[in-house]
Amino acid sequence: MDGPGTDEAVLVLVTHHIVADGWSMVPLLRDLSAAYTARRAGRAPDWEPLPVQYADHTLWQRGLLGDGDEPDSILANQVAFWRDALSGSPEELTLPTDRPRPAVASREGGWVPMSAPADLHARLTELAVAQGATTFMVWQAALAVLLSRLGAGQDIPIGSPVAGRTDEAADDLIGFFVNTLVLRTDLSGDPTFAEVLGRVRRSALGALGHQDVPFERLVEELAPTRSRARHPLFQILLAVQNVPSAAIDLPGLQVEALSTELGRAKFDLDLHVAERFDDEGVPAGIDGGITYAADLFDRSTVQSLIDRLLLVLRAVVADPAQRVRDITLLDPADHHRVLTEWNRTERAEPAATVPDRFRLQAARTPDAQALVADDARMTYAQLDAASDRLAQYLTRHGAGPGRLVAVAMERSPETIVALLAVLKTGGAYLPVDVGYPEARIALMLRDAAPTALLTTTGMADRLPAAAGGPPRIVLDDPSTRAAVAAQDAVPTATPAHVDSAAYTIYTSGSTGTPKGVVATHRAVDRLVRPADYADLREEDVVSHLGSVSFDSTTFDIWATLLNGATLAVGPAGSPSVADIRDYLARHRVTVALLPTGLLHQVIDLDVEALSGVRSVLTGGEALSVEHCRALFDALPGTRLMNGYGPTESITYTHTHPVTREDVDSGRAIPLGRPLARTRAYVLDTALRPVPSACPASCTSRATASPAATRAVRA
């Protein structure tokens, strides 16, 4: 009671699930109503004796199933069915979560309601009848389609409760009869929705015919890998309620049911659907909602899943013959947002070639430091003149527009001069890492067929035999030095076009034979002008620690030199963390580009090595949240930028400024937004856009899900 004199009361009836299930509410509330009515009339209730008791049911079930050790028993046969039905089923689905799964589930949960109007309800019913299925089967197929399209794969196990009251004598019993079945949905082979629904029907009927094995016994028999982080065999539950309405009638009182949210989640996602019908049995709408694990999902993400599920349902009732890959998950507004609004990355400044950009910068800041190293310094004017002399020399030795020149040199200022000189001839450079196996270098030279190969005395012996290869120009040979020095420091007369090749870099070959990727001047210009994501300033000193055979050094070198900063050329070879600390401090590096693996190593071993660095750029693999936290804890003023992009798209297509909020959110570090003059689309396996509300994990784990990222240079 709320208090003396009030006429409202709340009755809370608490039962453990072990003694009552959802169907039990009907006889329980009926008995409560009968008892209240009788006591109000001053008499004891007149109970009708039940034909069977719950104990009778348990004994009957035990006798029916028999001993699992007996090969001919029903239990053994049903276990064998499930062993076959669930063979190869994924133990954990890749779901579009907002956060990584914790080691131990907290069971904290939330609830998002869902409703569908009468017209959709009616059409779902019509579809089920037309396909010889049930409404539940339509929901299962639609839910599986949604999860698959959001990256969960083509084999979707979904749990579903069954009433377990296979005998009418049990209808009036209060007890726990319910069991849980695991229903797999096969979406392989580019099926139509009608075909998926047919597969669901066959799977569900087979499961219902073998529904007597208690779920706990099934888990024991199948022995999946157990984890405190997730539910075994399935993580998604679907329940379409067909339990008779549990009504309560208390004379003299107006009674209404109150909904409660316990804030607990047993599964990752628990979808409950209840159908409503009018007095004539006509579909009147659908109510329900999703209970979700707060460890994994935000409420907004679950709301988006509900919105997408309703889109799928409307699409399939309109045309069940359409293929799953063609079912849209975007409404018109989202479609416009993903394809148009998020790709407004144009810049008014026209593209230019690398030599043209460099000449303009050298003219603006001729006396500024362009290159620094342990044993050398060059101003912009000196670098411009040195590269012009070498370009004139190379032109006389066959370099020019449309031709490749291989550069096999260690990291040094002379290497930067050589790269710029090749570009000034109008040609393109092919960087060759002399640390590569001889067979790989031979493949690159044979495949690319460069006009010449620039190298140094110390590197020449580490290259494949010269027979049949390009002519070599040994730049530190005294005669070559003298010949280059004799050239006039004037621009060549054959400049490249913005769509001419600037360089060719070979992929790692981790998925097959290495392949050459050609980058145009326009592509390099897109990366470095403007380099606002790096916040580059003319007073900055930028690190150069990578091999020029890695596409990441495109940013090191050209973003620095085309924006007037200073490139600090690191020592040759693979420096240790101690070497990196000394190098960064000695050259007063303010902007450091470190591959993710190397950054993790520096943070682990000596995070203070980065104390003088204002801005850190990283990329190449997934950035660890814990390493970001350690960096921010030790050096809170550091600006950290996460970059993403395949070699084919020239270093970066996306960047994201990592914040303390990113670290504290528990989510994976985002890939970010596209760079200027870059259009980027997140696509599924059918090359259709993924919804904007799909969380980061749906798009960033491309190796773990069918989601893929495609970037197009503008």
Side-chain angles (χ1 to χ4, degrees):
M1 300 291 291
D2 289 341
T6 62
D7 57 0
E8 292 186 1
V10 176
L11 173 64
V12 179
L13 184 61
V14 180
T15 63
H16 196 287
H17 210 358
I18 200 171
V19 299
D21 54 19
W23 197 291
S24 298
M25 293 302 101
V26 174
L28 177 61
L29 294 184
R30 185 177 62 231
D31 288 352
L32 177 63
S33 299
Y36 181 85
T37 301
R39 297 300 181 185
R40 193 168 185 268
R43 59 180 174 80
D46 297 324
W47 301 118
E48 291 283 343
L50 294 173
V52 296
Q53 298 292 326
Y54 185 73
D56 299 324
H57 164 77
T58 59
L59 294 173
W60 168 82
Q61 185 184 50
R62 182 178 299 174
L64 174 68
L65 295 179
D67 190 339
D69 294 332
E70 297 175 1
D72 294 332
S73 68
I74 293 178
L75 179 60
N77 288 331
Q78 291 201 11
V79 167
F81 167 85
W82 286 109
R83 195 180 301 280
D84 180 65
L86 299 181
S87 176
S89 178
E91 291 190 344
E92 180 178 331
L93 283 180
T94 300
L95 298 174
T97 59
D98 293 289
R99 286 169 290 281
R101 188 183 298 278
V104 179
S106 72
R107 302 302 179 195
E108 294 295 321
W111 163 261
V112 180
M114 176 188 68
S115 64
D119 68 303
L120 178 56
H121 185 192
R123 299 192 69 182
L124 289 172
T125 304
E126 293 168 1
L127 174 61
V129 172
Q131 298 292 327
T134 64
T135 306
F136 170 85
M137 295 173 186
V138 176
W139 279 91
Q140 180 192 336
L143 179 59
V145 165
L146 174 68
L147 295 175
S148 178
R149 290 287 305 278
L150 292 179
Q154 296 181 331
D155 184 356
I156 311 294
I158 296 174
S160 178
V162 289
R165 297 176 187 249
T166 55
D167 190 321
E168 291 184 1
D171 288 353
D172 291 333
L173 289 180
I174 297 173
F176 186 79
F177 292 82
V178 71
N179 194 17
T180 304
L181 306 182
V182 186
L183 306 175
R184 291 173 77 176
T185 304
D186 175 15
L187 292 115
S188 63
D190 193 25
T192 65
F193 183 79
E195 290 170 338
V196 173
L197 187 54
R199 297 174 187 178
V200 165
R201 180 180 182 276
R202 290 189 294 273
S203 173
L205 291 177
L208 290 171
H210 300 81
Q211 64 174 284
D212 300 307
V213 183
F215 180 77
E216 295 77 9
R217 176 64 180 267
L218 185 63
V219 172
E220 292 178 5
E221 293 285 346
L222 299 185
T225 302
R226 301 302 295 269
S227 169
R228 297 174 65 191
R230 55 172 169 75
H231 194 272
L233 299 182
F234 68 89
Q235 292 83 50
I236 311 294
L237 187 84
L238 169 65
V240 177
Q241 300 286 4
N242 58 0
V243 177
S245 177
I248 185 169
D249 181 15
L250 305 181
L253 296 178
Q254 293 181 339
V255 182
E256 62 175 326
L258 299 178
S259 61
T260 58
E261 294 184 26
L262 298 180
R264 306 296 288 170
K266 294 188 291 185
F267 312 100
D268 293 356
L269 296 169
D270 185 348
L271 172 59
H272 278 250
V273 176
E275 299 179 280
R276 287 184 281 108
F277 298 89
D278 64 18
D279 294 339
E280 298 180 357
V282 176
I286 296 171
D287 297 316
I290 293 180
T291 300
Y292 62 92
D295 289 340
L296 304 176
F297 297 98
D298 291 334
R299 180 185 177 88
S300 59
T301 298
V302 179
Q303 181 63 63
S304 76
L305 292 175
I306 290 174
D307 294 342
R308 309 299 168 199
L309 181 57
L310 293 175
L311 280 175
V312 170
L313 290 169
R314 287 205 174 275
V316 300
V317 297
D319 181 12
Q322 66 181 306
R323 301 204 174 274
V324 166
R325 59 180 165 82
D326 293 330
I327 297 173
T328 181
L329 300 183
L330 291 85
D331 59 28
D334 207 16
H335 193 274
H336 179 75
R337 184 182 306 113
V338 169
L339 296 187
T340 304
E341 290 181 15
W342 288 358
N343 283 293
R344 288 176 177 156
T345 59
E346 300 83 2
R347 291 292 188 271
E349 183 182 21
T353 66
V354 171
D356 286 346
R357 289 275 190 216
F358 180 80
R359 292 189 196 284
L360 289 174
Q361 185 62 51
R364 282 196 298 269
T365 58
D367 298 324
Q369 291 292 330
L371 303 176
V372 295
D374 288 345
D375 55 357
R377 289 179 178 270
M378 296 184 76
T379 65
Y380 272 85
Q382 290 169 334
L383 176 57
D384 193 28
S387 55
D388 276 341
R389 291 190 184 93
L390 182 54
Q392 294 287 354
Y393 177 84
L394 295 177
T395 299
R396 289 173 170 76
H397 286 76
R403 296 178 181 177
L404 268 177
V405 175
V407 179
M409 301 168 64
E410 285 192 310
R411 188 168 47 245
S412 68
E414 289 73 20
T415 303
I416 307 303
V417 173
L419 300 181
L420 182 56
V422 172
L423 295 180
K424 284 184 173 182
T425 69
Y429 60 83
L430 168 69
V432 177
D433 190 328
V434 293
Y436 284 162
E438 184 174 313
R440 178 183 170 94
I441 295 175
L443 180 149
M444 293 167 57
L445 296 178
R446 184 172 60 253
D447 186 57
T451 299
L453 186 153
L454 308 185
T455 188
T456 59
T457 304
M459 297 296 102
D461 293 340
R462 297 165 63 179
L463 294 169
R472 299 183 182 188
I473 299 175
V474 182
L475 293 178
D476 59 351
D477 181 272
S479 61
T480 305
R481 285 185 183 276
V484 173
Q487 304 298 315
D488 294 328
V490 295
T492 57
T494 53
H497 184 270
V498 290
D499 291 317
S500 300
Y503 65 77
T504 294
I505 282 183
Y506 275 72
T507 61
S508 65
S510 58
T511 58
T513 303
K515 300 175 181 62
V517 175
V518 178
T520 65
H521 288 267
R522 187 188 300 276
V524 176
D525 199 61
R526 172 209 64 98
L527 176 69
V528 303
R529 295 287 299 183
D532 49 0
Y533 56 91
D535 189 28
L536 270 180
R537 309 163 188 172
E538 289 190 348
E539 63 268 25
D540 275 323
V541 179
V542 183
S543 70
H544 174 44
L545 289 167
S547 164
V548 292
S549 290
F550 296 158
D551 73 307
S552 62
T553 57
T554 305
F555 177 88
D556 287 4
I557 299 169
W558 303 122
T560 301
L561 298 178
L562 304 189
N563 287 285
T566 301
L567 186 67
V569 181
S574 300
S576 66
V577 172
D579 294 333
I580 292 173
R581 179 190 181 102
D582 180 63
Y583 155 81
L584 295 175
R586 187 168 62 256
H587 295 297
R588 298 181 180 179
V589 170
T590 58
V591 177
L593 176 63
L594 301 174
T596 307
L598 180 57
L599 175 61
H600 288 170
Q601 186 179 8
V602 171
I603 292 173
D604 284 336
L605 299 179
D606 188 4
V607 67
E608 292 294 334
L610 301 171
S611 59
V613 176
R614 174 177 61 83
S615 181
V616 176
L617 285 82
T618 190
E621 56 186 284
L623 180 58
S624 158
V625 173
E626 292 306 315
H627 284 89
C628 294
R629 179 178 290 108
L631 176 63
F632 289 154
D633 287 346
L635 305 170
T638 305
R639 184 177 187 268
L640 177 60
M641 182 68 66
N642 188 37
Y644 168 82
T647 300
E648 291 81 356
S649 295
I650 317 307
T651 308
Y652 293 140
T653 57
H654 299 64
T655 56
H656 174 76
V658 183
T659 65
R660 171 62 74 170
E661 289 73 21
D662 290 325
V663 172
D664 293 340
S665 72
R667 302 183 182 93
I669 302 299
L671 298 180
R673 295 295 183 90
L675 271 62
R677 291 181 287 174
T678 302
R679 299 190 304 274
Y681 308 102
V682 181
L683 309 174
D684 62 18
T685 52
L687 301 184
R688 292 186 176 274
V690 172
S692 62
C694 186
S697 62
C698 183
T699 61
S700 65
R701 294 187 294 187
T703 59
S705 74
T709 300
R710 169 168 293 184
V712 182
R713 294 184 296 277

